Each structure stands twice: as structure tokens, then as C-alpha cells.
Amino acid sequence: MNEKSKPMRVFFKKTGRAKFISHLDLQRTMQRALKRAGLPVWETEGFNPHIYITFALPLSLGIESTCESFDIKIIEDIQADEIREKLNAALNEDLHIIAVAEPVYKHTEIIKAEYEIAVENAEKFAEFMSQNEIIITKKTKKGEAQIDLKPLIELRGIEGEKVVLILPAGNEFNVNPMQVTSAFSAFVGEELQARITRTAVFCVDGEAFI
């Protein structure tokens, strides 16, 4: 690795049609955008060199986000605003770079995330949360296990057709918001359409992941 390389964290939105891009395709898209932008980024060595890029918290297919991020290493002196502008010129409006800065927290310090869920019958969500338990079947490395979602869901508020939740997220344990919407659909007795947007990622100390 270049001894003068400097880590930079790129924050971006993934909305609209981009929510249907898989994580692997998103990784390739960002690597191609970095190349098209002509940015001085560090590449791995060996038989198959490629741009070093690490995503903090991969997003499930079908979910939008206003707070995604990935890390790169810069090998020349370049301003953060220039990185942002050049990358945006190489991307479409559904993948938009919000900011670029030197990282503060490690990916391993992420512990939870906030989601806005636009869903039918949102007014019934408080009743859904009033149940004694919300049991779902979750896939694990050892197979399937039943877990109680209720103690894992922090309900921030209900505004019209929008529900705001905080769920566990990170390397150790995750709750996919789609598991919550599926359980809610079962509760109301019909298949509900939901638009899910991740709006914030938090670290162990409660601070936003930056």
C-alpha cells in the first residue's frame, strides 16, 4: 500500500431505481464511477488488482437509504469537495454523493439504524407493538431460530402513513426492517406494501456513524 494513502469515507443516497441494485452490483458500480471520475484511489495488488472499497452496512435489496457510506484510500492530495463533485458527475441521480470526509468511527462500532417506513394501516402499528410478543422465524448461520421482535424494536413515532423505527444493526446482530413489515402484515391480515428508507446509522455511544 502507498504509505501516503489516506482513508476517506464517502456518504451517499441510494434511492429510486437504485434500491433494486444488489450489493455486489453496487460495489461494481462505485468502482467504475471512481475510475470514470479519474480519482487517485488505492488499488489492491496481485494478479487481479481492483479499487479498494469497503461498505459500512450493506443494504438489503428493495430498501432505500439517505445515509449509506463506503471507505476508499486516496493516494494523492485532493479536497473532499472535489471527490464528491467528480463522483456525482460519474453517477446518476438515484446514487448521489452527499459528503466526503475522513472517517471517525470504525464499521465495527455500528450498533443500530433508523428506518422510515411508509406503509398502509400505519395507524395500527401502535396496536401491533402492544402485543406481548412478536415472534418471527429468523435465518441464522446455524439454521433457523424463532426470535421475539418486540424488545428489539424501538418505535420513534407514527406520523400519518409513516412509521419511524430504530432496529439493531451491525456485525453482531441485525434485524431487517422487512421482517418487521412482514410481521405487521400478518398482524393486520393482509399483504401490505411498504416503502422503507434507512435514515440514520448509530454507533455504540449513540452518536451518528461518521
Side-chain angles (χ1 to χ4, degrees):
M1 186 189 303
N2 189 310
E3 292 182 359
K4 295 182 179 179
S5 66
K6 180 171 71 173
M8 297 296 285
R9 184 158 291 159
V10 180
F11 297 90
F12 67 100
K13 293 181 181 180
K14 186 184 181 204
T15 57
R17 292 169 299 176
K19 71 180 180 181
F20 298 114
I21 299 175
S22 70
H23 178 63
L24 182 58
D25 285 339
L26 175 65
Q27 194 169 24
R28 291 168 178 161
T29 297
M30 288 302 184
Q31 287 175 329
R32 288 195 296 265
L34 287 161
K35 282 185 176 293
R36 286 198 301 270
L39 292 169
V41 292
W42 180 73
E43 296 190 16
T44 61
E45 299 170 354
F47 293 106
N48 184 29
H50 58 273
I51 292 175
Y52 166 86
I53 182 169
T54 304
F55 288 79
L57 193 63
L59 198 65
S60 296
L61 197 69
I63 298 177
E64 296 181 287
S65 178
T66 59
C67 61
E68 295 306 282
S69 68
F70 62 83
D71 290 357
I72 54 176
K73 290 185 172 73
I74 298 297
I75 57 175
E76 295 178 13
D77 189 25
I78 184 172
Q79 296 299 310
D81 284 346
E82 186 177 351
I83 296 173
R84 176 178 55 81
E85 290 170 6
K86 286 187 173 183
L87 264 179
N88 274 331
L91 294 166
N92 63 40
E93 60 184 8
D94 293 335
L95 289 170
H96 181 75
I97 308 303
I98 304 166
V100 179
E102 293 186 44
V104 175
Y105 294 99
K106 297 178 181 178
H107 298 173
T108 52
E109 294 180 85
I110 294 173
I111 193 170
K112 54 188 176 180
E114 180 184 80
Y115 299 90
E116 288 186 358
I117 304 175
V119 64
E120 305 162 70
N121 294 324
E123 71 280 356
K124 294 184 179 180
F125 203 87
E127 185 182 345
F128 167 70
M129 287 297 297
S130 70
Q131 299 176 94
N132 291 330
E133 57 183 13
I134 303 171
I135 303 297
I136 67 162
T137 300
K138 181 178 172 64
K139 291 183 179 180
T140 68
K141 294 179 180 179
K142 296 181 179 180
E144 292 185 340
Q146 287 196 322
I147 64 167
D148 183 5
L149 278 181
K150 183 171 179 178
L152 304 175
I153 301 172
E154 181 183 338
L155 178 59
R156 277 290 179 93
I158 303 171
E159 301 175 6
E161 291 294 298
K162 183 173 69 178
V163 176
V164 181
L165 306 175
I166 290 183
L167 300 172
N171 292 335
E172 296 299 321
F173 185 73
N174 281 281
V175 171
N176 188 320
M178 289 181 175
Q179 294 172 318
V180 179
T181 56
S182 292
F184 183 51
S185 289
F187 174 77
V188 299
E190 61 178 299
E191 190 65 33
L192 301 175
Q193 298 298 314
R195 180 177 178 177
I196 305 172
T197 305
R198 185 154 68 194
T199 52
V201 176
F202 300 102
C203 295
V204 176
D205 59 5
E207 293 295 320
F209 177 73
I210 55 175

